[in-house]
Amino acid sequence: MPRTKHPSEEVFRNLVGDNPLDTIAPLKELSDAFCWLEEVFKTIANEAHIKRDGFRAEHLAKAGAHIAFDMSQYAGSRYEAMLNHLRAAGVIPAEGEQA
């Protein structure tokens, strides 16, 4: 059975210009990108450590990995919180429901 649109979905579209899921989707992409960036920094730090001549590069890469991890966690948690809030309000379908 098709889902009936929640009245708030239309209000959201009028205010933001897009549907709720498309609006918050970049947060998920941002979280994923920071996760990949963290891995890049970890690899650089490991290579610098192995060569033992990249002390500064190793520490900068570790700092970058730490920041990327924190930002990934933040963006991911904001995405999940907004997604759950939109689902709870009935603005978007619950997980497993048809749109």
mmCIF file of all heavy atoms in Angstrom, residues 29-70:
data_model
loop_
_atom_site.group_PDB
_atom_site.id
_atom_site.type_symbol
_atom_site.label_atom_id
_atom_site.label_comp_id
_atom_site.label_asym_id
_atom_site.label_seq_id
_atom_site.Cartn_x
_atom_site.Cartn_y
_atom_site.Cartn_z
ATOM 1 N N GLU A 29 26.935 11.465 3.250
ATOM 2 C CA GLU A 29 28.080 11.511 2.345
ATOM 3 C C GLU A 29 29.279 12.163 3.027
ATOM 4 O O GLU A 29 30.412 11.708 2.871
ATOM 5 C CB GLU A 29 27.724 12.272 1.068
ATOM 6 C CG GLU A 29 26.628 11.621 0.246
ATOM 7 C CD GLU A 29 26.978 10.221 -0.219
ATOM 8 O OE1 GLU A 29 28.150 9.991 -0.602
ATOM 9 O OE2 GLU A 29 26.091 9.353 -0.187
ATOM 10 N N LEU A 30 29.036 13.209 3.787
ATOM 11 C CA LEU A 30 30.103 13.893 4.521
ATOM 12 C C LEU A 30 30.723 12.958 5.550
ATOM 13 O O LEU A 30 31.952 12.879 5.682
ATOM 14 C CB LEU A 30 29.547 15.142 5.202
ATOM 15 C CG LEU A 30 30.524 16.001 5.979
ATOM 16 C CD1 LEU A 30 31.568 16.613 5.040
ATOM 17 C CD2 LEU A 30 29.768 17.108 6.697
ATOM 18 N N SER A 31 29.906 12.232 6.259
ATOM 19 C CA SER A 31 30.402 11.276 7.241
ATOM 20 C C SER A 31 31.286 10.233 6.574
ATOM 21 O O SER A 31 32.380 9.921 7.061
ATOM 22 C CB SER A 31 29.225 10.604 7.946
ATOM 23 O OG SER A 31 29.670 9.609 8.831
ATOM 24 N N ASP A 32 30.828 9.691 5.445
ATOM 25 C CA ASP A 32 31.615 8.698 4.715
ATOM 26 C C ASP A 32 32.933 9.284 4.213
ATOM 27 O O ASP A 32 33.984 8.644 4.316
ATOM 28 C CB ASP A 32 30.819 8.143 3.533
ATOM 29 C CG ASP A 32 29.635 7.293 3.953
ATOM 30 O OD1 ASP A 32 29.566 6.885 5.137
ATOM 31 O OD2 ASP A 32 28.765 7.042 3.099
ATOM 32 N N ALA A 33 32.888 10.490 3.683
ATOM 33 C CA ALA A 33 34.098 11.126 3.148
ATOM 34 C C ALA A 33 35.130 11.348 4.251
ATOM 35 O O ALA A 33 36.326 11.095 4.053
ATOM 36 C CB ALA A 33 33.748 12.454 2.471
ATOM 37 N N PHE A 34 34.695 11.792 5.416
ATOM 38 C CA PHE A 34 35.626 11.980 6.518
ATOM 39 C C PHE A 34 36.194 10.638 6.991
ATOM 40 O O PHE A 34 37.348 10.553 7.399
ATOM 41 C CB PHE A 34 34.983 12.732 7.679
ATOM 42 C CG PHE A 34 35.015 14.218 7.524
ATOM 43 C CD1 PHE A 34 33.842 14.948 7.482
ATOM 44 C CD2 PHE A 34 36.222 14.896 7.418
ATOM 45 C CE1 PHE A 34 33.871 16.330 7.342
ATOM 46 C CE2 PHE A 34 36.261 16.274 7.275
ATOM 47 C CZ PHE A 34 35.084 16.990 7.237
ATOM 48 N N CYS A 35 35.399 9.600 6.928
ATOM 49 C CA CYS A 35 35.877 8.267 7.297
ATOM 50 C C CYS A 35 36.995 7.839 6.341
ATOM 51 O O CYS A 35 38.031 7.320 6.774
ATOM 52 C CB CYS A 35 34.713 7.288 7.258
ATOM 53 S SG CYS A 35 35.088 5.689 7.971
ATOM 54 N N TRP A 36 36.810 8.067 5.049
ATOM 55 C CA TRP A 36 37.851 7.733 4.061
ATOM 56 C C TRP A 36 39.092 8.595 4.281
ATOM 57 O O TRP A 36 40.219 8.112 4.184
ATOM 58 C CB TRP A 36 37.339 7.909 2.649
ATOM 59 C CG TRP A 36 36.168 7.060 2.292
ATOM 60 C CD1 TRP A 36 35.881 5.802 2.747
ATOM 61 C CD2 TRP A 36 35.100 7.411 1.424
ATOM 62 N NE1 TRP A 36 34.700 5.358 2.212
ATOM 63 C CE2 TRP A 36 34.199 6.318 1.392
ATOM 64 C CE3 TRP A 36 34.808 8.543 0.665
ATOM 65 C CZ2 TRP A 36 33.049 6.329 0.623
ATOM 66 C CZ3 TRP A 36 33.646 8.539 -0.100
ATOM 67 C CH2 TRP A 36 32.786 7.454 -0.113
ATOM 68 N N LEU A 37 38.875 9.870 4.570
ATOM 69 C CA LEU A 37 39.988 10.775 4.817
ATOM 70 C C LEU A 37 40.795 10.330 6.039
ATOM 71 O O LEU A 37 42.031 10.390 6.039
ATOM 72 C CB LEU A 37 39.462 12.205 5.000
ATOM 73 C CG LEU A 37 40.493 13.321 5.073
ATOM 74 C CD1 LEU A 37 41.360 13.352 3.826
ATOM 75 C CD2 LEU A 37 39.776 14.660 5.247
ATOM 76 N N GLU A 38 40.098 9.854 7.052
ATOM 77 C CA GLU A 38 40.782 9.335 8.230
ATOM 78 C C GLU A 38 41.729 8.202 7.830
ATOM 79 O O GLU A 38 42.882 8.146 8.284
ATOM 80 C CB GLU A 38 39.765 8.839 9.257
ATOM 81 C CG GLU A 38 40.397 8.210 10.470
ATOM 82 C CD GLU A 38 39.413 7.459 11.346
ATOM 83 O OE1 GLU A 38 38.241 7.306 10.973
ATOM 84 O OE2 GLU A 38 39.856 7.008 12.415
ATOM 85 N N GLU A 39 41.261 7.301 6.978
ATOM 86 C CA GLU A 39 42.094 6.188 6.537
ATOM 87 C C GLU A 39 43.303 6.667 5.735
ATOM 88 O O GLU A 39 44.404 6.114 5.864
ATOM 89 C CB GLU A 39 41.270 5.187 5.721
ATOM 90 C CG GLU A 39 40.286 4.396 6.554
ATOM 91 C CD GLU A 39 40.936 3.633 7.694
ATOM 92 O OE1 GLU A 39 41.982 2.976 7.479
ATOM 93 O OE2 GLU A 39 40.406 3.695 8.819
ATOM 94 N N VAL A 40 43.119 7.699 4.907
ATOM 95 C CA VAL A 40 44.238 8.272 4.157
ATOM 96 C C VAL A 40 45.296 8.804 5.124
ATOM 97 O O VAL A 40 46.494 8.515 4.985
ATOM 98 C CB VAL A 40 43.758 9.395 3.205
ATOM 99 C CG1 VAL A 40 44.933 10.176 2.640
ATOM 100 C CG2 VAL A 40 42.914 8.817 2.080
ATOM 101 N N PHE A 41 44.861 9.554 6.108
ATOM 102 C CA PHE A 41 45.793 10.111 7.088
ATOM 103 C C PHE A 41 46.496 9.004 7.893
ATOM 104 O O PHE A 41 47.682 9.096 8.186
ATOM 105 C CB PHE A 41 45.093 11.082 8.035
ATOM 106 C CG PHE A 41 44.859 12.446 7.456
ATOM 107 C CD1 PHE A 41 43.582 12.984 7.406
ATOM 108 C CD2 PHE A 41 45.919 13.202 6.967
ATOM 109 C CE1 PHE A 41 43.358 14.249 6.888
ATOM 110 C CE2 PHE A 41 45.704 14.468 6.451
ATOM 111 C CZ PHE A 41 44.426 14.997 6.409
ATOM 112 N N LYS A 42 45.768 7.975 8.257
ATOM 113 C CA LYS A 42 46.379 6.864 8.994
ATOM 114 C C LYS A 42 47.462 6.188 8.156
ATOM 115 O O LYS A 42 48.523 5.832 8.674
ATOM 116 C CB LYS A 42 45.318 5.836 9.391
ATOM 117 C CG LYS A 42 44.468 6.232 10.564
ATOM 118 C CD LYS A 42 43.476 5.119 10.857
ATOM 119 C CE LYS A 42 42.641 5.395 12.073
ATOM 120 N NZ LYS A 42 41.663 4.303 12.319
ATOM 121 N N THR A 43 47.188 6.008 6.880
ATOM 122 C CA THR A 43 48.173 5.394 5.990
ATOM 123 C C THR A 43 49.414 6.259 5.870
ATOM 124 O O THR A 43 50.545 5.756 5.933
ATOM 125 C CB THR A 43 47.555 5.132 4.599
ATOM 126 O OG1 THR A 43 46.425 4.267 4.764
ATOM 127 C CG2 THR A 43 48.554 4.497 3.652
ATOM 128 N N ILE A 44 49.237 7.555 5.718
ATOM 129 C CA ILE A 44 50.378 8.481 5.647
ATOM 130 C C ILE A 44 51.180 8.409 6.943
ATOM 131 O O ILE A 44 52.421 8.336 6.915
ATOM 132 C CB ILE A 44 49.906 9.922 5.383
ATOM 133 C CG1 ILE A 44 49.316 10.042 3.981
ATOM 134 C CG2 ILE A 44 51.051 10.912 5.568
ATOM 135 C CD1 ILE A 44 48.572 11.334 3.726
ATOM 136 N N ALA A 45 50.504 8.408 8.071
ATOM 137 C CA ALA A 45 51.193 8.338 9.368
ATOM 138 C C ALA A 45 51.976 7.037 9.495
ATOM 139 O O ALA A 45 53.126 7.040 9.960
ATOM 140 C CB ALA A 45 50.191 8.468 10.511
ATOM 141 N N ASN A 46 51.380 5.929 9.073
ATOM 142 C CA ASN A 46 52.070 4.640 9.150
ATOM 143 C C ASN A 46 53.299 4.614 8.247
ATOM 144 O O ASN A 46 54.354 4.117 8.647
ATOM 145 C CB ASN A 46 51.122 3.497 8.778
ATOM 146 C CG ASN A 46 50.095 3.236 9.859
ATOM 147 O OD1 ASN A 46 50.289 3.580 11.018
ATOM 148 N ND2 ASN A 46 48.987 2.630 9.469
ATOM 149 N N GLU A 47 53.181 5.136 7.045
ATOM 150 C CA GLU A 47 54.322 5.179 6.114
ATOM 151 C C GLU A 47 55.439 6.061 6.668
ATOM 152 O O GLU A 47 56.610 5.706 6.584
ATOM 153 C CB GLU A 47 53.874 5.678 4.744
ATOM 154 C CG GLU A 47 53.021 4.695 3.977
ATOM 155 C CD GLU A 47 53.751 3.410 3.645
ATOM 156 O OE1 GLU A 47 54.918 3.468 3.211
ATOM 157 O OE2 GLU A 47 53.146 2.338 3.828
ATOM 158 N N ALA A 48 55.063 7.194 7.225
ATOM 159 C CA ALA A 48 56.067 8.099 7.791
ATOM 160 C C ALA A 48 56.761 7.448 8.982
ATOM 161 O O ALA A 48 57.969 7.588 9.170
ATOM 162 C CB ALA A 48 55.425 9.418 8.204
ATOM 163 N N HIS A 49 56.010 6.702 9.774
ATOM 164 C CA HIS A 49 56.570 6.030 10.939
ATOM 165 C C HIS A 49 57.544 4.924 10.509
ATOM 166 O O HIS A 49 58.628 4.782 11.091
ATOM 167 C CB HIS A 49 55.457 5.444 11.812
ATOM 168 C CG HIS A 49 55.955 4.727 13.013
ATOM 169 N ND1 HIS A 49 56.434 5.382 14.120
ATOM 170 C CD2 HIS A 49 56.067 3.404 13.288
ATOM 171 C CE1 HIS A 49 56.806 4.507 15.018
ATOM 172 N NE2 HIS A 49 56.594 3.290 14.545
ATOM 173 N N ILE A 50 57.178 4.156 9.504
ATOM 174 C CA ILE A 50 58.024 3.064 9.010
ATOM 175 C C ILE A 50 59.357 3.596 8.482
ATOM 176 O O ILE A 50 60.414 3.037 8.738
ATOM 177 C CB ILE A 50 57.287 2.260 7.916
ATOM 178 C CG1 ILE A 50 56.141 1.460 8.554
ATOM 179 C CG2 ILE A 50 58.234 1.332 7.164
ATOM 180 C CD1 ILE A 50 55.178 0.851 7.558
ATOM 181 N N LYS A 51 59.301 4.708 7.761
ATOM 182 C CA LYS A 51 60.521 5.274 7.173
ATOM 183 C C LYS A 51 61.387 5.994 8.203
ATOM 184 O O LYS A 51 62.545 6.281 7.946
ATOM 185 C CB LYS A 51 60.152 6.217 6.029
ATOM 186 C CG LYS A 51 59.558 5.474 4.853
ATOM 187 C CD LYS A 51 59.226 6.403 3.722
ATOM 188 C CE LYS A 51 58.623 5.589 2.588
ATOM 189 N NZ LYS A 51 58.205 6.420 1.495
ATOM 190 N N ARG A 52 60.816 6.315 9.350
ATOM 191 C CA ARG A 52 61.513 6.956 10.467
ATOM 192 C C ARG A 52 62.155 8.302 10.115
ATOM 193 O O ARG A 52 62.945 8.819 10.872
ATOM 194 C CB ARG A 52 62.573 6.026 11.049
ATOM 195 C CG ARG A 52 62.035 4.758 11.605
ATOM 196 C CD ARG A 52 62.851 4.338 12.814
ATOM 197 N NE ARG A 52 62.322 3.115 13.360
ATOM 198 C CZ ARG A 52 61.488 3.070 14.395
ATOM 199 N NH1 ARG A 52 61.096 4.165 14.965
ATOM 200 N NH2 ARG A 52 61.055 1.924 14.850
ATOM 201 N N ASP A 53 61.834 8.845 8.967
ATOM 202 C CA ASP A 53 62.368 10.167 8.628
ATOM 203 C C ASP A 53 61.237 11.174 8.457
ATOM 204 O O ASP A 53 61.459 12.288 8.047
ATOM 205 C CB ASP A 53 63.238 10.116 7.368
ATOM 206 C CG ASP A 53 62.448 9.646 6.148
ATOM 207 O OD1 ASP A 53 61.273 9.269 6.296
ATOM 208 O OD2 ASP A 53 63.029 9.660 5.052
ATOM 209 N N GLY A 54 60.042 10.752 8.782
ATOM 210 C CA GLY A 54 58.895 11.623 8.591
ATOM 211 C C GLY A 54 58.192 11.959 9.891
ATOM 212 O O GLY A 54 56.966 11.912 9.962
ATOM 213 N N PHE A 55 58.962 12.300 10.924
ATOM 214 C CA PHE A 55 58.384 12.582 12.238
ATOM 215 C C PHE A 55 57.271 13.631 12.153
ATOM 216 O O PHE A 55 56.181 13.429 12.666
ATOM 217 C CB PHE A 55 59.494 13.052 13.193
ATOM 218 C CG PHE A 55 58.994 13.369 14.572
ATOM 219 C CD1 PHE A 55 58.701 12.358 15.457
ATOM 220 C CD2 PHE A 55 58.820 14.692 14.984
ATOM 221 C CE1 PHE A 55 58.245 12.638 16.737
ATOM 222 C CE2 PHE A 55 58.361 14.976 16.253
ATOM 223 C CZ PHE A 55 58.074 13.943 17.133
ATOM 224 N N ARG A 56 57.544 14.749 11.483
ATOM 225 C CA ARG A 56 56.558 15.829 11.384
ATOM 226 C C ARG A 56 55.349 15.366 10.567
ATOM 227 O O ARG A 56 54.204 15.602 10.952
ATOM 228 C CB ARG A 56 57.192 17.067 10.750
ATOM 229 C CG ARG A 56 56.268 18.267 10.738
ATOM 230 C CD ARG A 56 57.061 19.543 10.424
ATOM 231 N NE ARG A 56 56.220 20.686 10.576
ATOM 232 C CZ ARG A 56 55.600 21.301 9.568
ATOM 233 N NH1 ARG A 56 55.764 20.879 8.339
ATOM 234 N NH2 ARG A 56 54.838 22.347 9.797
ATOM 235 N N ALA A 57 55.603 14.695 9.448
ATOM 236 C CA ALA A 57 54.505 14.196 8.608
ATOM 237 C C ALA A 57 53.645 13.209 9.381
ATOM 238 O O ALA A 57 52.415 13.217 9.266
ATOM 239 C CB ALA A 57 55.061 13.549 7.345
ATOM 240 N N GLU A 58 54.281 12.370 10.165
ATOM 241 C CA GLU A 58 53.540 11.387 10.961
ATOM 242 C C GLU A 58 52.594 12.083 11.934
ATOM 243 O O GLU A 58 51.416 11.729 12.035
ATOM 244 C CB GLU A 58 54.512 10.496 11.726
ATOM 245 C CG GLU A 58 53.819 9.463 12.598
ATOM 246 C CD GLU A 58 54.784 8.622 13.418
ATOM 247 O OE1 GLU A 58 56.020 8.772 13.256
ATOM 248 O OE2 GLU A 58 54.296 7.835 14.236
ATOM 249 N N HIS A 59 53.080 13.089 12.636
ATOM 250 C CA HIS A 59 52.252 13.785 13.617
ATOM 251 C C HIS A 59 51.138 14.602 12.951
ATOM 252 O O HIS A 59 50.019 14.649 13.453
ATOM 253 C CB HIS A 59 53.108 14.650 14.542
ATOM 254 C CG HIS A 59 53.865 13.817 15.524
ATOM 255 N ND1 HIS A 59 53.286 13.307 16.654
ATOM 256 C CD2 HIS A 59 55.132 13.382 15.520
ATOM 257 C CE1 HIS A 59 54.164 12.583 17.321
ATOM 258 N NE2 HIS A 59 55.305 12.613 16.653
ATOM 259 N N LEU A 60 51.434 15.221 11.827
ATOM 260 C CA LEU A 60 50.396 15.950 11.096
ATOM 261 C C LEU A 60 49.327 14.998 10.580
ATOM 262 O O LEU A 60 48.127 15.288 10.645
ATOM 263 C CB LEU A 60 51.007 16.743 9.943
ATOM 264 C CG LEU A 60 51.856 17.954 10.338
ATOM 265 C CD1 LEU A 60 52.581 18.512 9.109
ATOM 266 C CD2 LEU A 60 50.997 19.021 10.988
ATOM 267 N N ALA A 61 49.767 13.852 10.072
ATOM 268 C CA ALA A 61 48.805 12.869 9.565
ATOM 269 C C ALA A 61 47.935 12.319 10.699
ATOM 270 O O ALA A 61 46.737 12.111 10.525
ATOM 271 C CB ALA A 61 49.535 11.741 8.841
ATOM 272 N N LYS A 62 48.537 12.089 11.861
ATOM 273 C CA LYS A 62 47.754 11.615 13.008
ATOM 274 C C LYS A 62 46.732 12.666 13.434
ATOM 275 O O LYS A 62 45.595 12.330 13.787
ATOM 276 C CB LYS A 62 48.670 11.250 14.171
ATOM 277 C CG LYS A 62 49.391 9.940 13.967
ATOM 278 C CD LYS A 62 50.278 9.615 15.159
ATOM 279 C CE LYS A 62 50.978 8.288 14.971
ATOM 280 N NZ LYS A 62 51.865 7.948 16.090
ATOM 281 N N ALA A 63 47.136 13.932 13.400
ATOM 282 C CA ALA A 63 46.194 15.010 13.737
ATOM 283 C C ALA A 63 45.063 15.046 12.714
ATOM 284 O O ALA A 63 43.883 15.184 13.081
ATOM 285 C CB ALA A 63 46.914 16.358 13.774
ATOM 286 N N GLY A 64 45.402 14.917 11.434
ATOM 287 C CA GLY A 64 44.377 14.896 10.392
ATOM 288 C C GLY A 64 43.423 13.733 10.561
ATOM 289 O O GLY A 64 42.205 13.878 10.405
ATOM 290 N N ALA A 65 43.952 12.559 10.892
ATOM 291 C CA ALA A 65 43.108 11.380 11.104
ATOM 292 C C ALA A 65 42.166 11.598 12.284
ATOM 293 O O ALA A 65 40.983 11.235 12.222
ATOM 294 C CB ALA A 65 43.977 10.145 11.340
ATOM 295 N N HIS A 66 42.677 12.200 13.340
ATOM 296 C CA HIS A 66 41.852 12.467 14.524
ATOM 297 C C HIS A 66 40.704 13.429 14.197
ATOM 298 O O HIS A 66 39.555 13.193 14.553
ATOM 299 C CB HIS A 66 42.731 13.038 15.641
ATOM 300 C CG HIS A 66 41.976 13.344 16.889
ATOM 301 N ND1 HIS A 66 41.608 12.377 17.784
ATOM 302 C CD2 HIS A 66 41.496 14.524 17.371
ATOM 303 C CE1 HIS A 66 40.934 12.939 18.777
ATOM 304 N NE2 HIS A 66 40.855 14.240 18.549
ATOM 305 N N ILE A 67 41.032 14.496 13.483
ATOM 306 C CA ILE A 67 40.010 15.478 13.101
ATOM 307 C C ILE A 67 38.987 14.850 12.161
ATOM 308 O O ILE A 67 37.774 15.042 12.318
ATOM 309 C CB ILE A 67 40.660 16.720 12.466
ATOM 310 C CG1 ILE A 67 41.480 17.477 13.520
ATOM 311 C CG2 ILE A 67 39.616 17.640 11.824
ATOM 312 C CD1 ILE A 67 42.426 18.509 12.944
ATOM 313 N N ALA A 68 39.471 14.085 11.181
ATOM 314 C CA ALA A 68 38.564 13.428 10.233
ATOM 315 C C ALA A 68 37.634 12.459 10.961
ATOM 316 O O ALA A 68 36.434 12.392 10.667
ATOM 317 C CB ALA A 68 39.360 12.698 9.152
ATOM 318 N N PHE A 69 38.173 11.707 11.925
ATOM 319 C CA PHE A 69 37.351 10.782 12.701
ATOM 320 C C PHE A 69 36.265 11.531 13.461
ATOM 321 O O PHE A 69 35.092 11.151 13.432
ATOM 322 C CB PHE A 69 38.222 9.981 13.674
ATOM 323 C CG PHE A 69 37.420 9.110 14.599
ATOM 324 C CD1 PHE A 69 36.922 7.894 14.158
ATOM 325 C CD2 PHE A 69 37.158 9.499 15.903
ATOM 326 C CE1 PHE A 69 36.170 7.088 15.002
ATOM 327 C CE2 PHE A 69 36.414 8.710 16.759
ATOM 328 C CZ PHE A 69 35.915 7.495 16.307
ATOM 329 N N ASP A 70 36.650 12.607 14.150
ATOM 330 C CA ASP A 70 35.681 13.395 14.914
ATOM 331 C C ASP A 70 34.584 13.963 14.016
ATOM 332 O O ASP A 70 33.398 13.910 14.352
ATOM 333 C CB ASP A 70 36.367 14.544 15.661
ATOM 334 C CG ASP A 70 37.114 14.078 16.898
ATOM 335 O OD1 ASP A 70 36.956 12.913 17.306
ATOM 336 O OD2 ASP A 70 37.872 14.900 17.457
#
